[in-house]
Amino acid sequence: MYEDEGELTPEQIEGLLAAMDTGKEVVAGSKIHRIMVTASERAMRITSRMNAQFNSMSDTLAQLETLFGRPLPKGVGLFPPFTTDCGLNTHLGEGVFINSGCRFQDQGGIYIGERALIGHNCVIATLNHNMDPSRRGNVTPSPVHIGADAWLGANVTVLPGVNIGDGAVVGAGAVVTKDVPARTLVAGVPAREIRRL
């Protein structure tokens, strides 16, 4: 793994992930919010380096391990460029493939099951801002779960708190605003069920 020159301590990372797991609103400017900003800066340093020049798949995966802070499961693949707001709360199963141009906002937790395929330019979001303009900088985390053998087509957006079932397919360009049952094809904006698979 690459050496990380980030400023986060293991205790700060543990505290950040624990705070995200509560699902409680994070107040802008609070201690945990400042740690989120530091984590974002760390992620930008690593992904900028990873995306700047492709040397080999093994090099890219080594940098991804540094970004995630843990070894990758067997068979994971990623085509850069790839960006994330944090990197420390993305969890991949074996054989996951992430195509180029994807953007993960993973503070709230992104969980992708085995052999899932994430198409070009997908966006997975796990934070919502407060609707009150006076508190708009506050954020509330909500995890996204993508099941084993699911397939997100190109340019899909998945919103916070969505669960996509095992073997489901999300058509290109869809915006997924609610849960998708297993082995179901959805498409459109917002995504709607097309048929069972």
Side-chain angles (χ1 to χ4, degrees):
M1 287 181 25
Y2 280 71
E3 185 172 339
D4 173 32
E5 63 270 6
E7 301 131 7
L8 290 173
T9 66
E11 293 77 21
Q12 288 174 316
I13 293 171
E14 185 177 324
L16 172 62
L17 297 179
M20 295 299 100
D21 285 348
T22 69
K24 294 181 180 175
E25 184 175 75
V26 176
V27 175
S30 65
K31 179 180 178 182
I32 200 68
H33 187 261
R34 291 192 303 273
I35 292 171
M36 289 173 71
V37 170
T38 302
S40 293
E41 291 171 351
R42 171 189 175 274
M44 285 186 278
R45 279 193 301 274
I46 296 168
T47 56
S48 292
R49 185 170 53 232
M50 183 172 74
N51 295 329
Q53 180 179 354
F54 179 81
N55 294 312
S56 67
M57 186 58 74
S58 61
D59 179 68
T60 296
L61 296 178
Q63 293 183 73
L64 196 61
E65 285 187 340
T66 298
L67 177 64
F68 291 169
R70 70 185 76 83
L72 292 174
K74 187 176 182 180
V76 166
L78 177 135
F79 286 178
F82 171 78
T83 58
T84 180
D85 289 1
C86 179
L88 297 166
N89 209 5
T90 294
H91 310 272
L92 307 178
E94 289 188 4
V96 167
F97 177 71
I98 301 167
N99 219 324
S100 62
C102 290
R103 298 179 180 274
F104 288 8
Q105 182 196 52
D106 72 320
Q107 288 95 332
I110 294 174
Y111 300 85
I112 303 177
E114 295 180 352
R115 299 171 305 280
L117 303 176
I118 311 300
H120 290 90
N121 302 316
C122 286
V123 174
I124 302 175
T126 66
L127 295 177
N128 270 319
H129 286 275
N130 193 296
M131 294 302 289
D132 179 347
S134 67
R135 296 187 294 142
R136 188 65 45 85
N138 296 359
V139 293
T140 303
S142 189
V144 166
H145 294 265
I146 298 171
D149 301 303
W151 173 24
L152 306 188
N155 297 300
V156 164
T157 298
V158 181
L159 297 185
V162 166
N163 297 299
I164 296 174
D166 293 348
V169 176
V170 180
V175 177
V176 188
T177 61
K178 61 183 181 180
D179 291 354
V180 176
R183 298 191 59 81
T184 300
L185 170 63
V186 299
V189 180
R192 291 184 172 85
E193 182 174 329
I194 304 300
R195 63 183 171 91
R196 294 300 174 113
L197 300 171

